[in-house]
Amino acid sequence: MTASVTQDLIDAAVALADTLAQENKALAAMDLPAAMRLLEQKQRAADAFAAARTAAAAANASPAGQQQRLAGQVAGRLRDLADENKRLLERAMAVQGRVIDVIVGAIPKAAGGVPRYTAGGGIAGPRQMPPVSLSARA
C-alpha cells in the first residue's frame, strides 16, 4: 500500500509539473489567453497533488530505492517550475498593469472631443467652471 500511495504522489507531482511547464511556456510567450485556459487544469492538478500528499502523510509513506530517486527528481522539477511560474506571473501582471495605465491615460485625450449632454438630453455648452457639490443644513 505504501508503494501505491508513494506512486500516486509522484504521479500527481508529475501532472502538476507538466501543467506548470505548459503554463510557463504560454506566459513566456506572453500568450495570456493560453495561460488562462490552463487555469482549471492547473487547479485540478494542484488539488490532486495536495490530496496525494495528505494521503502519503496519513499512510506514513516514504519512497524507497528507485521511487526515492524519482521523487527527488520530480520534487526538484516541481520546485523549479513553481519558481519560474511565480516570476512569469509577476511579469505578466506588471505588463498588464502598464497596458491598463496606457488605456487610462488615453481616456481623457479621447474624451476631449466628445460632446457632453445636459440632464434634458441636449448638448451641453463649454464648461465655465468645474462641477461643484453643495450641502446645506437647515
Side-chain angles (χ1 to χ4, degrees):
M1 166 123 183
T2 301
S4 174
V5 171
T6 302
Q7 189 59 49
D8 290 346
L9 178 58
I10 292 170
D11 292 345
V14 168
L16 179 56
D18 289 347
T19 303
L20 284 175
Q22 289 176 36
E23 183 179 54
N24 289 353
K25 183 178 178 182
L27 289 170
M30 291 303 292
D31 187 352
L32 300 184
M36 287 298 299
R37 286 191 297 273
L38 290 165
L39 182 60
E40 190 175 317
Q41 178 181 337
K42 179 179 165 182
Q43 187 61 55
R44 281 193 313 268
D47 290 346
F49 177 68
R53 281 186 60 184
T54 300
N60 234 357
S62 59
Q66 179 64 21
Q67 275 191 329
Q68 187 173 20
R69 283 188 295 281
L70 182 57
Q73 290 171 350
V74 171
R77 179 176 179 233
L78 190 55
R79 184 177 38 256
D80 292 345
L81 287 167
D83 289 344
E84 181 183 12
N85 189 258
K86 180 180 183 230
R87 182 184 60 77
L88 290 169
L89 284 169
E90 287 171 346
R91 182 184 81 162
M93 288 188 297
V95 168
Q96 189 176 35
R98 287 194 299 269
V99 169
I100 290 170
D101 288 344
V102 167
I103 292 169
V104 167
I107 289 173
K109 295 173 189 164
V114 177
R116 292 173 292 118
Y117 297 92
T118 65
I123 295 180
R127 283 197 179 150
Q128 300 300 322
M129 62 178 357
V132 294
S133 174
L134 299 175
S135 175
R137 290 189 184 178

